[in-house]
Amino acid sequence: TPFVSCFGKKKTATAVAHAKEGKGQIRLNGQPISLVQPETLRLKVFEPVLVVGADKFAPVDIRLRVSGGGRVSQIYAIRQAIAKALVAYYAKYFDAASALELRQLFISYDRTLLIADP
């Protein structure tokens, strides 16, 4: 099955995302991301989905693991991993143009979605 793996980082938190073809599920440590704690930051995790629209995520399943750092850093690492994985998946299995379009959307919304803070 076609898949890509990507990671997101924030401070010492690292999130690894495996994107493969599927039905648009996004799971974090085996649970759906709708259960992310703390609740106030749940929206941050959904940002990549909301920015480009759920339809872009429809052909892809994303599995995430996160470790290190604090709660907030982990959230930022996760959202970066999701965004990077989606762009990489589109670049590899669809076409460069659509990947570039996704990239522009993410960057124009929030640069940290694709570029790690040192």
Side-chain angles (χ1 to χ4, degrees):
T1 53
F3 86 101
V4 294
S5 54
C6 274
F7 63 91
K9 279 186 143 113
K10 172 85 174 153
K11 294 185 181 171
T12 56
T14 310
V16 181
H18 291 284
K20 59 181 181 25
E21 60 181 340
K23 311 184 284 293
Q25 292 182 333
I26 303 178
R27 300 181 83 80
L28 170 65
N29 296 340
Q31 293 183 320
I33 58 167
S34 50
L35 300 177
V36 166
Q37 294 295 334
E39 240 167 278
T40 45
L41 289 167
R42 195 169 291 165
L43 207 61
K44 276 283 180 209
V45 178
F46 279 107
E47 266 176 12
V49 186
L50 300 173
V51 171
V52 297
D55 53 317
K56 295 278 190 229
F57 280 88
V60 190
D61 274 355
I62 299 178
R63 288 197 333 253
L64 296 141
R65 305 200 96 83
V66 67
S67 63
R71 291 273 179 85
V72 178
S73 296
Q74 284 191 351
I75 298 282
Y76 277 85
I78 291 163
R79 66 200 274 273
Q80 190 183 85
I82 292 174
K84 281 168 79 170
L86 189 72
V87 171
Y89 188 88
Y90 269 76
K92 196 166 174 186
Y93 299 111
F94 293 106
D95 54 56
S98 57
L100 209 64
E101 190 185 328
L102 288 173
R103 242 192 119 80
Q104 290 322 143
L105 279 168
F106 283 137
I107 299 259
S108 64
Y109 177 74
D110 182 355
R111 200 166 158 275
T112 58
L113 276 172
L114 293 175
I115 292 122
D117 279 340

